[in-house]
Amino acid sequence: MNNYYLNKNAQSNGDHEIHKESCYYYYMYRGGFNFEFFGAFATEFEAIRYARSKYPYLKIDGCAYCCPSIHQK
Ligand SMILES: [Zn+2]
């Protein structure tokens, strides 16, 4: 299981990225962005499915570095 965090601040393309707790970028940016812990999941797919169901109004993508299997672009 990994802990997952959602960046509540959108990127310039409008995406909100989700990160694992172990992600380098999460550690780099957690001071300046508004990350929310939203749960522990066994897979990246479960994590993004839950995040999208919790925040259906946000455009959510996986981080390219820590969640490559769910990163879309
Ligand atoms: Zn990441």
Side-chain angles (χ1 to χ4, degrees):
M1 299 285 273
N2 283 292
N3 288 332
Y4 284 86
Y5 291 81
L6 174 69
N7 187 346
K8 301 298 291 295
N9 294 109
Q11 302 190 121
S12 56
N13 65 2
D15 281 353
H16 293 260
E17 290 207 316
I18 63 174
H19 296 268
K20 290 174 181 162
E21 191 166 36
S22 58
C23 180
Y24 170 77
Y25 289 92
Y26 167 66
Y27 273 99
M28 285 290 289
Y29 296 124
R30 63 179 176 171
F33 290 91
N34 181 17
F35 285 101
E36 179 185 298
F37 172 69
F38 67 92
F41 300 92
T43 69
E44 296 167 11
F45 290 102
E46 285 177 45
I48 198 165
R49 191 165 57 214
Y50 178 80
R52 285 175 170 155
S53 70
K54 186 174 183 186
Y55 299 105
Y57 49 90
L58 296 181
K59 202 170 144 223
I60 297 173
D61 193 19
C63 169
Y65 300 93
C66 66
C67 302
S69 71
I70 56 170
H71 177 70
Q72 292 182 321
K73 57 194 170 306

